[in-house]
Amino acid sequence: MSEFVTLAALAGEEEICTRCPLYRNATQAVPGEGPRGARVMLVGEQPGDVEDLSGRPFVGPAGRLLDKALAKVHLPREECFVTNAVKHFKFEPRGKRRLHKKPDAGEIDACRWWLEQERGLVGPGLIVAMGVTAIRGVLGRSEPVSRLRGRLIDLDEKAKFLATIHPSFLLRLQEEEDKRREWTRFLGDLEIAAEWTRAGDGLVSNG
Ligand code: URA
């Protein structure tokens, strides 16, 4: 259930959120994007520099990599609801650049309310958390990716949960061998989500 009737109304409220201090320096809130009734909800960490300026999630370098991975496993992004655990960009100014800063537990927990509202409106049967911030946002507690990744977990009576790495982890790897191995593992995790959508699970969207 959500307190909002439409995703547009929800996005409008997210835009004026003051639940944590991050709204002060960000350009705008970046709401989740995708169809209401999407069966899969993909959750990232927070908007990056490009997303903060454009107002759309996962449209920068990490987003391009995510798009490539989703295409590889035949899980169309347009059919997923793509969002972030934290809706405002957290950064540190360094000259003309804005350096990404990880949101802290208080910020993730403050923003969790919005994630729950999005979930209530979209009604996904599977929530994919990419990285530790997303895991905390979805579960409400911190867990390492390594403990949970790669298998479907019952979140509650309405949805399953799948944890994987954040795509920006792949962008930070230096060694070709590491890149290849982790890319393959990431695709393997997303393949579980794609397979779940193909198999169907009998869950009806509550969006
Ligand atoms: N990283 C995220 O976690 N989310 C975005 O929207 C972009 C980069």
Side-chain angles (χ1 to χ4, degrees):
M1 282 295 285
S2 169
E3 293 193 9
F4 299 91
V5 177
T6 63
L7 284 168
L10 173 55
E13 287 299 310
E14 285 172 347
E15 182 47 35
I16 54 170
C17 176
T18 56
R19 284 175 176 256
C20 84
L22 293 185
Y23 74 94
R24 293 195 187 125
N25 297 324
T27 307
Q28 58 193 318
V30 177
E33 182 179 274
R36 201 168 165 181
R39 301 191 65 228
V40 178
M41 183 171 182
L42 298 167
V43 185
E45 182 193 67
Q46 62 166 348
D49 188 71
V50 181
E51 290 81 9
D52 170 77
L53 296 173
S54 71
R56 295 184 54 212
F58 280 103
V59 290
R64 282 196 291 279
L65 201 55
L66 176 63
D67 288 350
K68 192 172 154 190
L70 292 173
K72 277 254 176 220
V73 301
H74 306 290
L75 181 60
R77 173 173 170 154
E78 318 75 67
E79 291 177 15
C80 300
F81 189 80
V82 181
T83 192
N84 283 300
V86 171
K87 305 293 189 256
H88 283 107
F89 180 34
K90 181 175 180 181
F91 62 93
E92 204 173 87
R94 228 12 110 68
K96 285 190 179 159
R97 297 181 59 212
R98 302 189 299 170
L99 298 187
H100 166 277
K101 267 190 93 178
K102 246 189 173 347
D104 63 32
E107 290 152 354
I108 301 167
D109 294 349
C111 218
R112 197 161 179 258
W113 192 82
W114 296 113
L115 196 59
E116 286 294 312
Q117 297 302 313
E118 289 181 330
R119 186 184 164 195
L121 272 177
V122 175
L126 172 61
I127 301 181
V128 181
M130 300 183 291
V132 289
T133 299
I135 290 175
R136 187 176 178 102
V138 176
L139 298 184
R141 65 175 196 276
S142 293
E143 295 275 1
V145 174
S146 57
R147 239 180 67 96
L148 304 175
R149 86 179 289 184
R151 64 199 154 92
L152 291 177
I153 295 169
D154 287 329
L155 187 57
D156 51 36
E157 71 285 354
K158 288 188 178 144
K160 300 216 175 275
F161 173 83
L162 177 71
T164 186
I165 51 127
H166 190 284
S168 64
F169 167 69
L170 299 168
L171 294 173
R172 289 194 298 269
L173 294 173
Q174 299 295 322
E175 303 295 330
E176 282 309 315
E177 193 186 324
D178 294 342
K179 284 187 200 173
R180 261 196 303 276
R181 184 189 63 241
E182 293 304 326
W183 171 247
T184 304
R185 281 191 81 190
F186 184 50
L187 290 183
D189 292 341
L190 293 182
E191 182 59 45
I192 295 170
E195 183 54 39
W196 176 86
T197 62
R198 287 191 286 269
D201 64 344
L203 280 176
V204 177
S205 160
N206 65 354

